[in-house]
Amino acid sequence: MIGALLFIRVWIVIILNLKHGFDWQSVQLGAFLAGALLAETNYRTQVEADIRPFRGLLLGLFFVTTGTSIDLQVYTL
């Protein structure tokens, strides 16, 4: 269990450092990459079980933050 938590923390630190290193990367992209990396590990089922109670809340938060970051001036005529 401690190995799994350490593994997750290391990847979160790596993703956050990448975000600070590149201005074009967004927090949403970092979260997506972290999820994609964790989905390919042996800890996939444990991560799914831990996140399952918060799935709806996290999806709503993702879509709200992504939607509010859209620049509507680009899409107006």
Side-chain angles (χ1 to χ4, degrees):
M1 183 66 179
I2 292 180
L5 291 175
L6 180 63
F7 178 79
I8 292 170
R9 287 180 182 158
V10 166
W11 276 111
I12 289 172
V13 168
I14 289 171
I15 296 300
L16 289 175
N17 285 334
L18 283 175
K19 196 254 184 260
H20 290 294
F22 301 105
D23 290 335
W24 58 269
Q25 282 186 330
S26 63
V27 176
Q28 292 91 355
L29 179 60
F32 174 76
L33 289 175
L37 291 171
L38 287 173
E40 297 296 323
T41 65
N42 295 333
Y43 304 114
R44 177 183 179 188
T45 55
Q46 182 62 39
V47 171
E48 287 177 357
D50 291 343
I51 293 177
R52 188 170 308 275
F54 307 105
R55 185 176 179 187
L57 178 67
L58 293 172
L59 278 172
L61 182 65
F62 171 77
F63 285 115
V64 166
T65 57
T66 303
T68 56
S69 68
I70 294 174
D71 184 13
L72 296 176
Q73 296 293 331
V74 174
Y75 300 109
T76 58
L77 296 175

